[in-house]
Coordinates of all heavy atoms in Angstrom, one line a residue:
Chain B
L66 N -58.7 61.9 -36.2 CA -59.6 63.0 -36.0 C -60.9 62.5 -35.4 O -61.5 61.6 -35.9 CB -60.0 63.6 -37.4 CG -58.7 64.1 -38.2 CD1 -59.1 64.4 -39.6 CD2 -58.1 65.4 -37.5
L67 N -61.3 63.1 -34.2 CA -62.3 62.6 -33.4 C -63.6 63.3 -33.3 O -64.6 62.8 -32.8 CB -61.8 62.5 -31.9 CG -60.5 61.7 -31.7 CD1 -60.1 61.7 -30.3 CD2 -60.7 60.2 -32.2
S68 N -63.7 64.5 -33.9 CA -65.0 65.2 -33.7 C -65.1 66.2 -34.9 O -64.1 66.6 -35.5 CB -65.0 65.9 -32.4 OG -64.0 66.9 -32.3
N69 N -66.3 66.7 -35.0 CA -66.6 67.7 -36.1 C -65.7 68.9 -35.8 O -65.7 69.5 -34.7 CB -68.0 68.1 -36.1 CG -68.4 68.9 -37.3 OD1 -67.9 68.7 -38.4 ND2 -69.2 69.9 -37.1
G70 N -65.1 69.4 -36.9 CA -64.3 70.6 -36.8 C -62.8 70.3 -36.3 O -62.0 71.3 -36.2
A71 N -62.5 69.1 -36.1 CA -61.2 68.8 -35.6 C -60.1 69.1 -36.6 O -60.4 68.9 -37.8 CB -61.1 67.3 -35.2
V72 N -59.0 69.7 -36.2 CA -57.9 70.0 -37.1 C -56.7 69.6 -36.3 O -56.5 69.9 -35.2 CB -57.9 71.5 -37.4 CG1 -56.7 71.8 -38.2 CG2 -59.1 72.0 -38.1
K73 N -55.8 68.9 -37.1 CA -54.5 68.5 -36.5 C -53.4 68.8 -37.6 O -53.6 68.7 -38.8 CB -54.5 67.0 -36.2 CG -55.3 66.7 -35.0 CD -55.0 65.4 -34.4 CE -55.8 65.1 -33.1 NZ -55.5 63.8 -32.5
Q74 N -52.3 69.2 -37.0 CA -51.1 69.6 -37.9 C -49.9 68.9 -37.4 O -49.6 68.8 -36.2 CB -51.0 71.1 -38.0 CG -49.9 71.5 -39.0 CD -50.0 73.0 -39.3 OE1 -50.8 73.7 -38.7 NE2 -49.1 73.5 -40.2
E75 N -49.1 68.4 -38.4 CA -47.8 67.9 -38.1 C -46.9 68.3 -39.3 O -47.0 67.8 -40.4 CB -47.9 66.4 -38.0 CG -46.6 65.7 -37.7 CD -46.1 65.9 -36.2 OE1 -46.9 66.0 -35.4 OE2 -44.9 66.0 -36.0
G76 N -46.0 69.2 -39.0 CA -45.0 69.6 -40.1 C -45.8 70.3 -41.2 O -46.6 71.2 -41.0
R77 N -45.6 69.7 -42.4 CA -46.3 70.3 -43.6 C -47.6 69.7 -43.9 O -48.2 70.1 -44.9 CB -45.4 70.1 -44.8 CG -44.0 70.7 -44.6 CD -43.0 70.4 -45.8 NE -41.7 70.8 -45.6 CZ -41.3 72.0 -45.9 NH1 -42.1 72.9 -46.5 NH2 -40.0 72.3 -45.6
L78 N -48.1 68.9 -43.0 CA -49.4 68.2 -43.2 C -50.4 68.7 -42.2 O -50.1 68.9 -41.0 CB -49.3 66.7 -43.1 CG -48.4 66.0 -44.1 CD1 -48.3 64.5 -43.8 CD2 -48.8 66.3 -45.5
M79 N -51.6 69.0 -42.7 CA -52.7 69.4 -41.8 C -54.0 68.7 -42.2 O -54.4 68.7 -43.4 CB -53.0 70.9 -41.9 CG -54.0 71.4 -40.9 SD -54.2 73.2 -40.8 CE -54.9 73.5 -42.5
A80 N -54.6 68.0 -41.3 CA -55.9 67.3 -41.5 C -57.0 67.9 -40.8 O -56.9 68.4 -39.7 CB -55.7 65.8 -41.1
S81 N -58.2 67.8 -41.4 CA -59.4 68.4 -40.8 C -60.6 67.5 -41.1 O -60.5 66.6 -42.0 CB -59.7 69.8 -41.4 OG -60.1 69.7 -42.8
L82 N -61.6 67.6 -40.2 CA -62.8 66.7 -40.4 C -64.1 67.6 -40.2 O -64.2 68.3 -39.3 CB -62.7 65.7 -39.2 CG -63.9 64.7 -39.2 CD1 -64.0 63.9 -40.5 CD2 -63.8 63.8 -38.0
D83 N -65.0 67.3 -41.2 CA -66.3 67.9 -41.1 C -67.3 66.7 -41.1 O -67.6 66.2 -42.2 CB -66.5 68.8 -42.4 CG -67.9 69.5 -42.4 OD1 -68.8 69.0 -41.6 OD2 -68.0 70.4 -43.2
T84 N -67.8 66.4 -40.0 CA -68.6 65.2 -39.9 C -70.0 65.4 -40.5 O -70.7 64.5 -41.0 CB -68.8 64.7 -38.4 OG1 -69.4 65.8 -37.7 CG2 -67.5 64.3 -37.8
K85 N -70.4 66.7 -40.6 CA -71.8 67.0 -41.2 C -71.7 66.8 -42.7 O -72.6 66.2 -43.3 CB -72.2 68.4 -40.8 CG -72.5 68.6 -39.4 CD -72.9 70.0 -39.1 CE -73.2 70.2 -37.6 NZ -73.6 71.6 -37.2
A86 N -70.6 67.2 -43.3 CA -70.4 67.0 -44.7 C -69.8 65.6 -45.0 O -69.7 65.3 -46.2 CB -69.5 68.1 -45.3
R87 N -69.4 64.9 -44.0 CA -68.8 63.6 -44.2 C -67.5 63.7 -45.1 O -67.3 63.0 -46.1 CB -69.7 62.5 -44.7 CG -70.9 62.3 -43.8 CD -71.9 61.2 -44.3 NE -73.0 61.1 -43.4 CZ -74.1 60.4 -43.6 NH1 -74.1 59.7 -44.7 NH2 -75.0 60.3 -42.8
L88 N -66.7 64.7 -44.7 CA -65.5 65.0 -45.5 C -64.3 65.3 -44.6 O -64.4 66.0 -43.6 CB -65.8 66.3 -46.3 CG -64.7 66.9 -47.1 CD1 -64.2 66.1 -48.2 CD2 -65.1 68.3 -47.6
S89 N -63.2 64.7 -45.0 CA -62.0 65.1 -44.3 C -61.0 65.5 -45.4 O -61.1 65.1 -46.6 CB -61.4 63.9 -43.6 OG -60.1 64.2 -43.0
T90 N -60.1 66.4 -45.0 CA -59.1 66.9 -46.0 C -57.7 66.8 -45.4 O -57.5 66.8 -44.2 CB -59.3 68.4 -46.4 OG1 -59.2 69.2 -45.2 CG2 -60.7 68.6 -47.0
L91 N -56.8 66.5 -46.2 CA -55.3 66.5 -45.9 C -54.6 67.5 -46.7 O -54.5 67.4 -47.9 CB -54.7 65.1 -46.1 CG -53.3 64.9 -45.7 CD1 -53.1 65.1 -44.2 CD2 -52.7 63.6 -46.2
H92 N -54.2 68.6 -46.1 CA -53.6 69.7 -46.8 C -52.1 69.6 -46.7 O -51.5 69.4 -45.6 CB -54.1 71.0 -46.3 CG -53.6 72.2 -47.1 ND1 -54.1 72.5 -48.4 CD2 -52.7 73.1 -46.8 CE1 -53.5 73.6 -48.8 NE2 -52.7 74.0 -47.9
I93 N -51.5 69.8 -47.9 CA -50.0 69.7 -47.9 C -49.5 71.2 -48.2 O -49.9 71.8 -49.2 CB -49.5 68.8 -49.0 CG1 -50.1 67.4 -48.8 CG2 -48.0 68.7 -49.1 CD1 -50.3 66.6 -50.1
T94 N -48.6 71.6 -47.3 CA -48.1 73.0 -47.5 C -46.6 72.9 -47.9 O -45.8 72.2 -47.3 CB -48.2 73.8 -46.2 OG1 -49.6 73.8 -45.8 CG2 -47.7 75.2 -46.3
A95 N -46.3 73.6 -49.0 CA -44.9 73.7 -49.4 C -44.2 72.3 -49.5 O -43.3 72.0 -48.8 CB -44.1 74.6 -48.5
A96 N -44.8 71.5 -50.4 CA -44.4 70.1 -50.5 C -42.9 69.9 -50.7 O -42.2 70.7 -51.4 CB -45.1 69.5 -51.6
V97 N -42.3 68.9 -50.1 CA -41.0 68.5 -50.3 C -41.0 67.0 -50.7 O -41.9 66.3 -50.5 CB -40.1 68.6 -49.0 CG1 -40.0 70.1 -48.6 CG2 -40.8 67.8 -47.9
H98 N -39.8 66.6 -51.3 CA -39.7 65.3 -51.9 C -40.1 64.2 -50.9 O -40.6 63.1 -51.2 CB -38.4 65.0 -52.5 CG -38.2 63.7 -53.1 ND1 -38.8 63.3 -54.3 CD2 -37.5 62.6 -52.7 CE1 -38.5 62.0 -54.6 NE2 -37.7 61.6 -53.7
D99 N -39.6 64.4 -49.7 CA -39.8 63.3 -48.6 C -41.3 63.0 -48.4 O -41.6 62.0 -47.7 CB -39.2 63.8 -47.3 CG -37.7 63.7 -47.3 OD1 -37.2 63.1 -48.4 OD2 -37.0 64.2 -46.4
L100 N -42.2 63.9 -48.8 CA -43.6 63.6 -48.6 C -44.2 62.6 -49.7 O -45.3 62.2 -49.6 CB -44.4 64.9 -48.7 CG -44.2 65.8 -47.5 CD1 -45.1 67.1 -47.7 CD2 -44.6 65.2 -46.2
S101 N -43.4 62.3 -50.7 CA -43.8 61.3 -51.7 C -44.2 60.0 -51.0 O -43.3 59.4 -50.4 CB -42.7 61.1 -52.7 OG -42.5 62.3 -53.4
A102 N -45.4 59.5 -51.2 CA -45.9 58.3 -50.6 C -47.4 58.2 -51.0 O -47.9 59.0 -51.8 CB -45.8 58.4 -49.1
T103 N -48.0 57.1 -50.5 CA -49.5 56.9 -50.7 C -50.2 57.2 -49.4 O -49.7 56.7 -48.4 CB -49.8 55.5 -51.2 OG1 -49.2 55.3 -52.5 CG2 -51.3 55.4 -51.4
Y104 N -51.2 58.1 -49.5 CA -51.9 58.5 -48.3 C -53.3 57.9 -48.3 O -54.0 58.0 -49.3 CB -52.0 60.0 -48.2 CG -50.6 60.7 -48.0 CD1 -49.8 60.9 -49.1 CD2 -50.1 60.9 -46.7 CE1 -48.5 61.4 -48.9 CE2 -48.9 61.5 -46.5 CZ -48.1 61.7 -47.6 OH -46.8 62.2 -47.4
F105 N -53.7 57.3 -47.2 CA -55.0 56.6 -47.1 C -55.7 57.3 -46.0 O -55.2 57.7 -44.9 CB -54.8 55.2 -46.6 CG -54.3 54.3 -47.7 CD1 -52.9 54.0 -47.7 CD2 -55.1 53.7 -48.7 CE1 -52.4 53.1 -48.7 CE2 -54.6 52.8 -49.6 CZ -53.2 52.6 -49.6
C106 N -57.0 57.5 -46.2 CA -57.9 57.9 -45.1 C -58.7 56.6 -44.8 O -58.9 55.7 -45.6 CB -58.9 59.0 -45.5 SG -60.1 58.6 -46.8
A107 N -59.1 56.5 -43.5 CA -59.8 55.3 -43.1 C -60.9 55.8 -42.1 O -60.6 56.5 -41.1 CB -58.9 54.3 -42.4

Side-chain angles (χ1 to χ4, degrees):
Chain B
L66 301 169
L67 301 178
S68 61
N69 189 41
V72 177
K73 289 196 174 179
Q74 184 165 4
E75 180 73 33
R77 300 174 188 273
L78 300 177
M79 183 174 70
S81 66
L82 178 62
D83 181 345
T84 57
K85 293 181 181 178
R87 298 180 184 173
L88 171 68
S89 180
T90 61
L91 180 66
H92 186 72
I93 303 155
T94 302
V97 294
H98 179 71
D99 286 352
L100 290 179
S101 297
T103 299
Y104 294 85
F105 291 95
C106 67

